[in-house]
Amino acid sequence: MPGAATVPGAAAIRAATVPGAAAIRAAGAGRPDIVILDGGLATELAARGHDLTHRLWSARLLMDEPQAIEDVHLAYFQAGARVATTASYQATIPGFATAGMDRAAALGAIRRSVELAGRAADRHASLAGLDRTSLVVAGSVGPYGAMLADGSEYRGDYDPGRAVLRDFHAPRMEALLEAGADLLALETIPTVREAEVLAGLVIEFGARAWLSFQCRDGRSTAAGEPIAEAMASATGPAFVAVGVNCTAPRHLVALLEAAASATDRPLIAYPNGGDRWDAQARAWVSDAPHGPPLDDAPDWAAAGAKWIGGCCGTGPADIRSLATLLDDSR
């Protein structure tokens, strides 16, 4: 199993998780106490004309159009992000099996997601004259519900059992680490039970990770569990941050305030664009008008968020505005 000392780039993460770290200041990321994340990978791929209606979502492009993924990672770095989140959210062995891929090919595609993000980081560091260690590759680990491709991650209404969850997640996590991911992004997690399984694997692998929940409102996870209870799933130095993602921006302040009272870990916040996922149409739909999704980021920082970015429905322009907004609010 990979250990912390064997994960390339681990030193960059140790630096980046310290507010005001020299690596973040050197990267010119705006406020020195904030790590700027990227935005929605699939959102920008779709905006560039790629068809993501396949059940594998953006993971399909790992085989068919890998250069498109690398180019989007680069666009986010150029917009001000210092973290590239890999195209592995929906990249799993069972998921790829539905597309006719065997285990070896599936693991190869998962590793490729790290290579693509790393190449984008290398390109950006070279073009911008940055220290490459100031850029972070986060290996995305989506929930079991994402593999079901029926919107389950936004409901949390599944429970295959802890053993099944462990067997589902472990190979992908190990492949991401072996490929050189600096940390794991355990994201859009809808239930405490799945978070606990993932947290146990992080410790077992000697890895570093952030853990972020998908939430239905300002108080609870997608499954209806109190957010304060959820935050207790990830404790200790292995977790660089805990928090919320792919949740409507209007809920973030309340969720972060509840999280801050329940954990001593840095907080992370990267909401979606404010719309609702329609699993049948496989598209985001708007239930109500809303403004730019990341405009309230200074309030999230004030509520304790140290890692801030965007999720589905946000693009490079939003991340560029975010970086400027947080710098101006310093």
Side-chain angles (χ1 to χ4, degrees), residues 298-324:
D299 295 336
W300 311 334
K306 300 297 184 186
W307 299 64
I308 300 178
C311 201
C312 301
T314 66
D318 295 302
I319 298 305
R320 183 173 288 107
S321 296
L322 170 70
T324 300

Side-chain angles (χ1 to χ4, degrees), residues 214-222 225-228 244 247-259:
Q214 204 285 324
C215 296
R216 61 166 63 170
D217 51 34
R219 302 177 303 278
S220 50
T221 67
E225 302 149 316
I227 192 62
V244 179
T247 297
R250 65 183 181 275
H251 298 315
L252 259 65
V253 169
L255 288 165
L256 289 168
E257 288 175 346

Side-chain angles (χ1 to χ4, degrees), residues 23 55 205 265:
R55 64 178 288 124
F205 290 162
R265 294 290 81 205

